[in-house]
Amino acid sequence: AGGINKVDKLSDKHNEIVNFAFNQLSAQNGADEECGLEKVDVENFSTQVVAGTLYRFDLIVKSECDEPKQKKCSLVVFDQPWTNTREVRWDDVKCEALASEENDVRNIAGGINKVDKLSDKHNEIVNFAFSQLSAQNGADEECGLEKVDVENFSTQVVAGTLYRFDLIVKSECDEPQQKKCSLVVFDQPWTNTREVQWDDVKCDKLESEENDEKNIAGGINKIEKLSDADNEIVSFAF
């Protein structure tokens, strides 16, 4: 009890632990059916009896969207059958890129991963952020925001996933004027939490003739044409 025991041949229970960790890792990586992780190999498996069992092993994985690139993930799983507890110890997880052409080492748990092609899940996050941004902007049916483009999309695994991206929008009341909004969305599916991190949101005008920068969340925005909601506020103040 307490010593670390190296395992050369995995039992059914050990493979069950590996599969559990792989599923958790895939979820933490923000993977979905369109772009998931693929399990390649398991190395350096060991067990340690504590108040339960700690399983340590290296899991070799690769992205289904970028097959040549592989990562070695050092994982720790705590298992306590009599309390139905089984969990990945995320503070001890580290994933390093194995591809020789990679100069940077990025952690699946903690590293920022650039996304070139958006999946359905990513587009769902973008649409959520856009709807929240429109609400924050005081938009209504008469004068709302229109989504133009998405740029610089990335993901970062924390206790959940942080999605960062630039959203190009324009006002339906002033079509030529566009803004680039840098957005951060936190998503934690197992607690049904999804929210825009407003302290990190910034929207800048793209027109070259504009010298001032205004934040949709927090900035002062001059209104040329009053909407019904604006007129309602005026009547209330009067």
Side-chain angles (χ1 to χ4, degrees), residues 14-46:
H14 298 154
N15 282 312
E16 181 184 320
I17 294 294
V18 170
N19 290 334
F20 168 79
F22 173 71
N23 291 335
Q24 294 293 301
L25 187 68
S26 296
Q28 279 279 342
N29 195 41
D32 50 32
E33 292 183 2
E34 184 175 339
C35 182
L37 289 177
E38 182 179 336
K39 185 169 57 179
V40 179
D41 200 5
V42 181
E43 301 175 349
N44 305 317
F45 197 101
S46 68

Side-chain angles (χ1 to χ4, degrees), residues 68-69 98-104:
K69 183 190 291 185
L98 292 181
S100 59
E101 64 271 14
E102 295 291 334
N103 293 319
D104 62 320

